[in-house]
Structures are given as C-alpha cells and as structure tokens.
Amino acid sequence: MAYILSVFAVRNLLVLSLALNVSLILRVLLLHDSQDGSFNGFFFAEQKEEALATKITRLSSSVLPSSSSLTMAQGDEDRVINLDHGDPTMYESYWQKKGDETTVVIPGWQFMSYFSDATRLCWFLEPEFAEQIVRLHNVVGNAVTENRHIVVGTGSTQLFQAALYALSPCAEAEPISVVSAAPYYSSYPLITDCLKSRLYKWAGDARSFSKNGPYIELVTSPNNPDGFARRSVVNGSEGILIHDLAYYWPQYTPISSPANYDLMLFTVSKSTGHAGMRIGWALVKDEDVARKMTKYIEINTIGVSKDSQVRAAKVLKVISDNSEGPNEGDSFFEFSYRVMAKRWKQLREAVQQSGLFSVSDFPPQLCMFLNRVFEPQPAFAWIKCEGDIDNCESFLRGKKILTRGGKHFGVSPKYVRISMLDRDKNYETFVRRLSTIRS
C-alpha cells in the first residue's frame, strides 16, 4: 500500500512539473511574438495571456485535486503587463457610473438605408452626430468649426487615408512624399505604404526632408508618442498639412486656443475612450478636399456605420451636458483630468525611485476650458532608459512589461512609448514594478 501511495505522489509531481514547463514555454512564445511591435503582439497579447492561464488550469485540474494553489502561486507581480498599445480602458469606470445615460436602443427597422442625408456633402454623416461634434468643440474650445465641412470616418485611420487620397496631385509623375517629424506616430509609415499607392509614399522624418516639389506633412499635436505640442517643420512652399489632433482634449493638455487649420482629424477613441465604436471625424475647410475624402470613404466602405454614429452622438451629448450643466463637477473631462494627473504623479515617482529611466518635463499652461494651470499629461509616456541600456523595449520585456520601442517611431531604441490609458489594476502594477527595477 505504501508503495502505491509513493508512486502516486511521484506521478503528481511529474504532472505538476510538466504543467509548469508548458507555462514557461507558452510565456516565452508570447513574449517573442510581441518583440517586433506587430499587430499580433500588441492586439492579442492579453488574449494569449488568458488562453495560457486556461490551458494551465485545464492541464493541472485533470490530474490534481485542486488548481487553486497553482493559481495563487502565480502572483500579480508575475503577470505580463501589456502597455504597448493605447487601448483606452481607463475610461470604463466613468461610463459604468453613468449607467443608462448613454444607452441607445435602435429598432431593427431603423437606419437601413445607405444614406443619412443625401443633400449633405458627406451624405452618410448622421445629422445628430454632426450637431454634437460642433457642440462639443464649442463647449471645450479646442477647434474652430465655422465654415468647416465635417467628414465622418471609421476612426481617424480611415480619415488619414482619405486625406492622403484627397490631397495627392493626380498629375504628378511620381508619388507625393509624406513626412512627419520624428518621433512620429509609429503607424504613419505602415498606413501610408500599405496599399503601395502611386499617389503618395512615406518619405520619413520631416526634419531631414529636403526634396523639392510638393509634399504632405503630418503634424500631430499633442504628439504621439512624446506628448509635446507640434508645428510644421519643413520649410517648403509647396507643402500641404494634415493636423492630427486626436489628443487635443483637456485631460491630456491645456486648451489654450481653438485649433484653426485647413484639415484637422479627431477620434472618439481618445476623446471619450470609446475605441470600439471606430468613429472619427475631420474638420475640413476646402470643399473640394472634403468631397474627395467623402468619395474615398464611399469607395472604401460605402459610408460609415449609422449605429456607431448614433451611439457616439449620445456620448458626446452627455459630455457636453455635464460640462455645461449643474453637474459640472461630475463632468467627463474633470474625471479624466484627475485620473491622468494621478497617473503622471505615480509615474514620475516610480521613475525617480528606480533611477534607471527618465521622462519628459512639460511647461505648465493655462487651460481655458478647465480654468486652471497645469502641465500636459499625455496619453503616452515617452521614457528613456539611461546608462548602458541600449534597447529599452527589450530590457523592459525582461521585466514582463511590454512597450513599443523607439525604432518604430524613427528614433533611438533607448526610448519606449508606454500607454497611460490601461485599467487601474494594470497601471498600478506597472508603476509599482517600474519603481523596483534597479538593473
């Protein structure tokens, strides 16, 4: 009898060892997939982590009396924290508290037509959504809407593509150059060249661009990834500007004056946190450009989801109502400003405690909307690894923190971009872990 029990105990130990080794192998594969900043890495790392835990639990529970002890052994500090992408889940808690205020019920027969308003230049733009866009910009004071055409798109990515299509000269013998000052948004090169269009092509860092002739310069302000306010840098007479203002909202930066440019891009994902709606809009001064952008979206997707536009209109209305009404203290922008201020304070304390990193400082400004002076608190932290650490992304990956390295933004790999918009639990685990890193 004693011999049988002994064999059974050894068998249990072998199975447990196998489960742990499978865990290690799968975790290494997960980290390897995310090394190159690919879509596989930064969109699916969290799902892979959940699948990994499920596989381990099933394997262990099939032969062990209980898997609870194995689950508890993997503490919170052992988790992989994925801050590579800017998924704005930080905002979930605010919208949960709002309850049914933003609930939209759409009958099955409603919004069946392709057309929203055939008399409009952008014929698939829902009138209610257009009205709330103008209202919110006027409430916040971050963009001029008078004498502008509104073009709605499936996020600012589609609008960016539509703008390139609309602004590119058709008669040129070669594609027009598209540039942006480094560090630039890492997806700009991918989006620009993905179709290998004969109309336009990515030409790199705007600061080193010196080619004669027409060009398109992308000006992202506040900038993704470093958070600084930007202006055009190419000194050319034939330049055409696209201003990406996805982060020009009071939770990220002081609103000093309304932006007043010929073509401005905005997105719901960063303004309200509703990335899953896939809705953005452009404010366009030139009617022909707006018409060509509309034509691109018509060819590309035959318009934009009405359901998403109606839901977005409801969300924007609630934000404007709470910003203007008696419940101003409970406004979305007050909430998000406080959260961002807290997170940036935590980050700076963690960086100081560690001593291995540095992060940008910003000059304080008066925000006309919030009526207070504060430093910008961007949606992304642009962190530099100091000393002998040459590849900051690889170094932090070794600490189970996934980031996006500087090479994707056209600069040194000593830099990484880190999302500040994750859920509280993940962010707090990140700053706690960062503060303890010594080598």
Side-chain angles (χ1 to χ4, degrees):
M1 184 66 178
Y3 173 78
I4 294 174
L5 291 174
S6 175
V7 171
F8 183 76
V10 171
R11 182 188 176 199
N12 276 1
L13 288 173
L14 289 173
V15 171
L16 178 58
S17 176
L18 174 63
L20 292 174
N21 277 288
V22 170
S23 168
L24 177 60
I25 292 169
L26 291 174
R27 192 175 292 276
V28 169
L29 290 174
L30 166 65
L31 294 176
H32 175 74
D33 282 347
S34 65
Q35 285 182 11
D36 59 354
S38 64
F39 289 99
N40 186 43
F42 68 82
F43 277 123
F44 298 128
E46 289 179 341
Q47 289 90 329
K48 287 183 179 180
E49 187 74 6
E50 293 174 3
L52 170 64
T54 302
K55 288 178 181 178
I56 295 171
T57 302
R58 287 175 178 172
L59 181 59
S60 59
S61 61
S62 64
V63 292
L64 298 175
S66 172
S67 63
S68 60
S69 58
L70 181 60
T71 303
M72 292 300 292
Q74 184 181 353
D76 194 54
E77 293 301 322
D78 200 37
R79 288 191 302 114
V80 174
I81 304 298
N82 188 350
L83 299 177
D84 171 281
H85 53 289
D87 198 22
T89 49
M90 176 191 87
Y91 297 106
E92 284 178 347
S93 59
Y94 177 84
W95 293 113
Q96 286 171 350
K97 291 177 182 178
K98 302 307 289 183
D100 292 334
E101 285 189 50
T102 55
T103 298
V104 175
V105 178
I106 300 177
W109 55 266
Q110 203 168 6
F111 304 125
M112 294 183 66
S113 171
Y114 286 115
F115 297 91
S116 295
D117 185 348
T119 65
R120 283 181 177 266
L121 183 151
C122 185
W123 50 267
F124 45 82
L125 171 62
E126 283 295 305
E128 182 183 4
F129 184 43
E131 177 185 340
Q132 294 305 326
I133 287 172
V134 172
R135 183 189 176 198
L136 183 61
H137 281 307
N138 291 339
V139 167
V140 176
N142 65 337
V144 173
T145 57
E146 293 180 358
N147 301 317
R148 296 298 195 281
H149 301 279
I150 300 175
V151 180
V152 63
T154 305
S156 57
T157 297
Q158 187 185 41
L159 289 165
F160 170 52
Q161 293 172 317
L164 292 181
Y165 171 83
L167 296 174
S168 299
C170 297
E172 293 294 323
E174 59 182 33
I176 189 171
S177 296
V178 180
V179 297
S180 187
Y184 43 71
Y185 176 38
S186 59
S187 290
Y188 281 156
L190 300 173
I191 297 169
T192 303
D193 287 342
C194 69
L195 296 180
K196 301 187 184 302
S197 172
R198 290 181 293 176
L199 295 176
Y200 47 82
K201 66 176 181 179
W202 178 251
D205 187 356
R207 291 191 175 91
S208 59
F209 181 76
S210 58
K211 184 178 178 181
N212 293 327
Y215 63 90
I216 296 174
E217 182 178 356
L218 308 169
V219 182
T220 307
S221 189
N223 189 43
N224 175 359
D226 62 13
F228 285 99
R230 283 284 188 88
R231 295 188 179 186
S232 60
V233 300
V234 181
N235 187 19
S237 60
E238 299 182 65
I240 308 169
L241 303 181
I242 299 174
H243 282 83
D244 186 343
L245 304 178
Y247 302 96
Y248 193 47
W249 296 97
Q251 67 265 47
Y252 307 122
T253 192
I255 305 300
S256 56
S257 62
N260 186 10
Y261 304 108
D262 290 347
L263 201 164
M264 300 180 283
L265 304 181
F266 295 90
T267 176
V268 164
S269 64
K270 298 306 184 290
S271 56
T272 75
H274 291 84
M277 286 186 190
R278 305 311 310 127
I279 286 288
W281 66 91
L283 300 178
V284 188
K285 195 171 186 178
D286 186 276
E287 182 176 333
D288 287 339
V289 172
R291 197 176 301 281
K292 289 179 182 177
M293 290 179 66
T294 300
K295 188 63 179 179
Y296 175 89
I297 297 172
E298 175 187 329
I299 296 169
N300 188 234
T301 53
I302 320 180
V304 176
S305 168
K306 294 184 181 182
D307 293 14
S308 291
Q309 292 186 64
V310 170
R311 186 180 174 208
K314 182 71 170 179
V315 169
L316 298 192
K317 182 179 185 302
V318 168
I319 292 176
S320 294
D321 288 346
N322 289 345
S323 297
E324 292 182 319
N327 297 324
E328 186 177 343
D330 187 39
S331 78
F332 171 77
F333 291 120
E334 283 286 347
F335 163 84
S336 50
Y337 164 82
R338 290 194 301 268
V339 174
M340 292 302 297
K342 177 184 176 182
R343 290 190 172 195
W344 270 94
K345 181 181 179 182
Q346 291 174 316
L347 176 65
R348 293 189 185 280
E349 290 174 351
V351 165
Q352 185 175 12
Q353 289 178 32
S354 172
L356 289 181
F357 311 98
S358 61
V359 66
S360 303
D361 291 317
F362 303 96
Q365 286 183 287
L366 172 63
C367 178
M368 304 300 291
F369 173 74
L370 293 176
N371 195 29
R372 63 171 65 102
V373 175
F374 65 94
E375 298 177 10
Q377 39 200 37
F380 296 100
W382 188 235
I383 289 180
K384 181 182 181 183
C385 282
E386 300 291 352
D388 297 331
I389 304 172
D390 294 325
N391 190 321
C392 199
E393 179 184 4
S394 178
F395 175 76
L396 289 174
R397 190 187 308 121
K399 309 297 182 182
K400 299 187 177 68
I401 300 172
L402 304 185
T403 64
R404 198 175 305 184
K407 66 178 182 179
H408 302 292
F409 303 90
V411 296
S412 167
K414 287 184 74 69
Y415 290 89
V416 292
R417 190 196 72 170
I418 293 177
S419 172
M420 302 288 286
L421 303 180
D422 212 319
R423 294 180 177 91
D424 288 343
K425 181 180 179 181
N426 281 347
Y427 185 78
E428 289 167 3
T429 301
F430 157 66
V431 291
R432 187 165 59 249
R433 190 178 299 174
L434 190 73
S435 67
T436 62
I437 297 176
R438 296 294 184 268
S439 62

